[in-house]
Amino acid sequence: MQNLKKLDGEIKDVSTLYDFNTHWSNGDMAGQLRQVFTSRHPEGKIIVGDLAGVESRGLAYEAGEEWKLDTFRKGLDVYKVLVTRFIPGLEYEEVTDELRPRGKYSELSCGSQASGKAVQDFMFRLGFSITLEDALQNVQDWRKACPAIVDYWRTLDNLLKDAVHGGMTLQASIGNGLSVRVSPFSLPSIEAIHPGALSLCIQILVDGEPYVTRFVHGCYFRGNRLCYYKPVERLGGKGLWTTIDETRSAKLSAEAGEPVTAYFSIYGGKLAGILTQSLCRELFFDSARELKRLFEHHGVTNAVMCGQFHDEINVDWTPGEHSEEFVMTLVRQAMKTVRDL
């Protein structure tokens, strides 16, 4: 929802939607939808606070990718800086509008250890057609530019596999004083169908205390590959758990022209993506709690948090004692000072 286009004052007549003489793009339709989110007061406004580039910052913080954190702290465009690391000798000021997307889409797609094929598919969904060779080159360039993140994937991968192999709690230091702890345990409902499969409680610790907690259930090895179970979507006599990704199996079978079975698997890069999203979620709700506290502290009654779009806080401001500018200042304060990434 946060990506719905903001219209430039032109709202189309919906009655022309099926008029083939009037052009309607997907952007036009999404923009129309955004217009239904309005203030409860005719003279009010929806104020939006956005955690800019939060997942890119969060992953860099977890991994200790300091050049990327410095880029954000200096207010530079991380996509442009990435391109300069892809192309030796290219200066920041020389990155053109045509070159910048290469940095942008590599950053958006490569942080979870994506393959070249996954990056190619990601680009296709965004409306870009690139060859598999170009996608692989983007993957290789991004990984070379982000060595601390690649090491972070390896650390997580080793933690997962060693915890399952040894059946014991393990912990490792990561970036910026954080650590990751993996604690295995048995779940009776999985033990009944797969003896020996272990569930994992995975946590990011801040100052030794859990800040993020996620679970992966029923982990077991298929060769050197660590797989896991997912809860069934609907109870229909098949039990509580499933081990096969039927949707992906069907897709792979269609591509291969023969039956292919796809099992759910977990590895360092995938876990890095899960933990980063979880970290950013916790940061967001810390910010929301801080904004609530600031509203109460300043006695703000003419503004209220009314929604969340991914990493955006939405505040409904109506004319009253506290000005729009003052409320915007509180939103900025809440979203900048909870935890400094």
Side-chain angles (χ1 to χ4, degrees):
M1 297 296 286
Q2 78 279 6
N3 291 325
L4 291 179
K5 178 183 175 184
K6 298 181 178 70
L7 297 183
D8 300 324
E10 180 183 350
I11 300 178
K12 288 193 172 185
D13 181 356
V14 179
S15 67
T16 67
L17 184 60
Y18 297 103
D19 180 354
F20 293 108
N21 294 317
T22 303
H23 176 70
W24 279 79
S25 68
N26 288 338
D28 291 332
M29 298 184 71
Q32 297 288 112
L33 179 59
R34 186 165 188 137
Q35 311 318 303
V36 307
F37 298 99
T38 59
S39 172
R40 56 191 165 162
H41 191 283
E43 297 179 13
K45 290 186 177 180
I46 300 294
I47 296 172
V48 178
D50 187 347
L51 288 170
V54 64
E55 290 185 6
S56 179
R57 296 171 192 248
L59 178 58
Y61 193 81
E62 292 167 29
E65 197 69 76
E66 292 302 321
W67 73 261
K68 192 173 288 187
L69 295 174
D70 287 341
T71 295
F72 285 117
R73 288 165 181 153
K74 292 174 182 176
L76 299 176
D77 185 328
V78 70
Y79 305 142
K80 287 187 175 182
V81 175
L82 263 172
V83 174
T84 66
R85 297 176 77 89
F86 293 169
I87 305 175
L90 184 70
E91 298 295 329
Y92 180 83
E93 295 76 14
E94 296 173 337
V95 179
T96 63
D97 290 343
E98 290 73 28
L99 284 173
R100 182 178 179 271
R102 186 178 170 202
K104 178 177 181 179
Y105 297 119
S106 296
E107 180 68 5
L108 293 176
S109 61
C110 291
S112 297
Q113 204 175 342
S115 65
K117 184 65 169 65
V119 171
Q120 184 187 38
D121 291 344
F122 174 81
M123 296 292 290
F124 180 78
R125 290 195 299 271
L126 293 176
F128 296 89
S129 179
I130 64 173
T131 65
L132 182 57
E133 289 74 16
D134 286 341
L136 285 168
Q137 188 64 53
N138 282 355
V139 168
Q140 292 168 4
D141 288 345
W142 188 92
R143 293 184 183 182
K144 185 176 179 180
C146 303
I149 294 175
V150 174
D151 286 343
Y152 179 45
W153 297 341
R154 189 176 299 113
T155 296
L156 294 178
D157 201 63
N158 289 337
L159 271 179
L160 287 169
K161 291 178 177 177
D162 290 348
V164 174
H165 268 307
M168 64 180 69
T169 297
L170 298 174
Q171 186 169 315
S173 298
I174 54 174
N176 290 284
L178 305 177
S179 57
V180 174
R181 182 167 65 201
V182 179
S183 305
F185 62 97
S186 294
L187 203 62
S189 58
I190 289 179
E191 187 72 19
I193 59 173
H194 193 144
L198 290 173
S199 295
L200 302 176
C201 173
I202 305 166
Q203 297 173 304
I204 291 181
L205 309 181
V206 179
D207 298 327
E209 296 296 323
Y211 186 67
V212 168
T213 298
R214 294 299 298 264
F215 293 90
V216 180
H217 289 295
C219 294
Y220 64 98
F221 283 96
R222 294 184 62 82
N224 194 43
R225 182 180 168 202
L226 187 62
C227 297
Y228 66 98
Y229 283 79
K230 274 192 172 183
V232 294
E233 293 185 3
R234 295 183 182 86
L235 289 175
K238 295 183 178 181
L240 297 174
W241 303 96
T242 180
T243 185
I244 298 172
D245 185 343
E246 294 182 355
T247 301
R248 186 159 175 265
S249 293
K251 178 182 178 183
L252 292 174
S253 297
E255 292 174 352
E258 57 186 25
V260 176
T261 300
Y263 294 88
F264 298 114
S265 62
I266 185 75
Y267 49 90
K270 184 173 183 177
L271 179 57
I274 292 169
L275 291 179
T276 298
Q277 291 175 347
S278 301
L279 174 73
C280 295
R281 179 192 63 190
E282 298 299 331
L283 292 167
F284 176 89
F285 285 109
D286 273 356
S287 297
R289 282 189 288 266
E290 175 64 6
L291 183 57
K292 180 176 183 292
R293 188 195 69 79
L294 288 172
F295 281 174
E296 292 173 350
H297 176 74
H298 291 282
V300 176
T301 58
N302 61 311
V304 61
M305 283 184 282
C306 64
Q308 172 208 1
F309 289 167
H310 188 47
D311 57 358
E312 295 180 357
I313 288 178
N314 295 260
V315 175
D316 186 359
W317 172 85
T318 58
E321 179 181 357
H322 294 90
S323 68
E324 176 188 353
E325 291 74 17
F326 179 75
V327 171
M328 289 176 66
T329 299
L330 295 184
V331 173
R332 291 192 188 98
Q333 181 179 340
M335 301 193 80
K336 283 185 175 181
T337 60
V338 174
R339 298 222 178 231
D340 180 15
L341 291 189

